[in-house]
Amino acid sequence: MAGRGDPPKGTSEGLPGGGDDEYRSVVFDESFIRAARLQEFSAQERMGDRAHAVRSLPPRAVPRSVRNGPRQLLTLVVLVVLAFGTAIYLGVRHPYRPVGSGRTTEQLRMTVIPLAPRGKVPGGAPADLLTHSQAAGFRTGAAGISLPDPIRRTANFTESQVVAALVTVKNYLVASSLDPDVLAGRTVRPVRALIDPDQTGQFDQSVTPGTIDSRHTPLGWLVRFDPAQVQPAGPGVRVRGTLTVKDRGPGALEVMADHTYVYALRPAGSDALPVKDASLFTVRRELHFRFDSSDLGKTQLVTSDVRAGPESCSDEVPTTLRPLLAGRRATAGGPAVTDPYLSGAGAAALCGVLAPAAEPSPVG
């Protein structure tokens, strides 16, 4: 067994037995080196006591408000986007229109005045009647509804917007005054399609039987004859008139249409007879249209002033025009004028006189 000072496996090989004691502590053989436990100290351990000369500061506390800053910023951005999107949605879909924006829709105010003839209604061939009337120089059909020339922009509407509004008015006049199916009462769709959606309720009530009054009559919106009483006698309707544009501020463009229409008519069911018993029927329509800049393809009809003859005066609110044909006279009593400030059905009882030359002339 190795002694207290011997290496782990006894006396080193190649050394004299026992060797010299003063070298025993500094001479290591291979077995001693293998048995030794090697350990590498860390940097802090190698520095010893000097490690305390430099101290690491503890991590600094970050305020909660700073840590939550990015999250709060993201939340704020989301809220702003949602608010902006909601404002746009309400601006587009809000059912109420702000006052002064040009989108305030009113009910159509209408007046229909029959014009009674002074004596018998002249009759004859349509061409002869037109030649000797003030409609001799009128154009035929839609050609008589001409746009202003030149068309200029306004303070709040571009030239193209003004043109769009004028074209819509012309389409309305053609549909409501010249379309054969509308004139005969077979349809109202071409007219209704051009009316502002907020006025279609009044329009539908006006063309529905049983709901007629001074605010609801088809004649405020369109020209209509009773096909059981009369039929066209000429190749087309003679038309002359003007269109005037007025800028009423941002979002409100108005167009005034003032046209006279002359229809050659004959009794219904007289197709087989020679056209020599025709007569002329004159309709003067003064219409006031209003447009919104967001939709120039639809129009609000603000006022409608219609004077038509030859007709007999009546206290009834008419649903169709009732022409007096060739050789007939107005009913006894002649034209009369009732109180124009009277509300209700009486307001439609106004009556005028048709001048001999077929020029409508209202009674003052």
Side-chain angles (χ1 to χ4, degrees), residues 23 32 43 50 64 72 78 85 100 103 107-108 128 134 141 146-147 178 188 193 226 245 273 277 337 349:
Y23 295 106
F32 183 87
R50 289 175 294 176
R64 180 174 296 179
Q72 293 176 350
V78 172
R103 291 296 294 161
Q107 278 204 331
L108 168 62
D128 294 338
Q134 293 191 17
S146 56
L147 304 185
L178 304 177
V188 296
D226 183 354
V245 178
L273 300 176
D277 55 353
V337 180

Side-chain angles (χ1 to χ4, degrees), residues 232-253:
V237 182
R238 299 298 178 93
V239 187
R240 186 174 69 180
T242 59
L243 295 174
T244 307
V245 178
K246 290 187 178 181
D247 189 329
R248 296 299 187 184
L253 185 70

Side-chain angles (χ1 to χ4, degrees), residues 182-341:
V182 172
L183 296 178
R186 291 187 289 267
T187 185
V188 296
R189 290 182 180 178
V191 181
R192 191 181 190 276
L194 297 170
I195 295 174
D196 187 289
D198 288 347
Q199 283 192 320
T200 55
Q202 184 187 7
F203 177 86
D204 292 340
Q205 188 175 350
S206 298
V207 298
T208 301
T211 62
I212 306 303
D213 56 32
S214 60
R215 287 274 185 167
H216 302 87
T217 172
L219 301 181
W221 304 89
L222 50 86
V223 176
R224 175 184 286 181
F225 299 101
D226 183 354
Q229 300 297 322
V230 298
Q231 68 182 49
V237 182
R238 299 298 178 93
V239 187
R240 186 174 69 180
T242 59
L243 295 174
T244 307
V245 178
K246 290 187 178 181
D247 189 329
R248 296 299 187 184
L253 185 70
E254 296 183 352
V255 178
M256 276 60 70
D258 183 358
H259 290 80
T260 300
Y261 305 84
V262 179
Y263 303 84
L265 302 174
R266 62 193 299 191
S270 59
D271 292 336
L273 300 176
V275 185
K276 61 180 180 179
D277 55 353
S279 60
L280 300 182
F281 188 82
T282 305
V283 179
R284 175 78 171 268
R285 302 183 77 197
E286 297 180 31
L287 306 179
H288 179 182
F289 299 90
R290 180 178 297 156
F291 289 89
D292 180 272
S293 57
S294 63
D295 188 0
L296 297 170
K298 302 281 187 178
T299 184
Q300 303 173 34
L301 193 52
V302 181
T303 60
S304 173
D305 182 6
V306 180
R307 288 163 284 175
E311 288 189 301
S312 291
C313 296
S314 173
D315 292 335
E316 298 178 359
V317 178
T319 58
T320 64
L321 296 170
R322 293 169 285 194
L324 292 173
L325 299 177
R328 299 187 62 183
R329 297 175 180 267
T331 56
V337 180
T338 62
D339 185 356
Y341 298 98

Side-chain angles (χ1 to χ4, degrees), residues 27-61:
V27 178
F28 306 99
D29 61 6
E30 184 179 355
S31 62
F32 183 87
I33 294 172
R34 289 177 179 176
R37 185 171 69 88
L38 299 178
Q39 179 179 359
E40 182 177 0
F41 293 97
S42 66
Q44 185 174 358
E45 291 173 337
R46 289 196 298 269
M47 292 175 63
D49 293 338
R50 289 175 294 176
H52 298 287
V54 179
R55 293 189 304 167
S56 300
L57 294 176
R60 186 176 180 181

Side-chain angles (χ1 to χ4, degrees), residues 97-115:
R97 291 163 180 171
V99 177
S101 66
R103 291 296 294 161
T104 301
T105 305
E106 304 173 357
Q107 278 204 331
L108 168 62
R109 301 186 301 275
M110 59 184 72
T111 304
V112 180
I113 303 176
L115 302 176

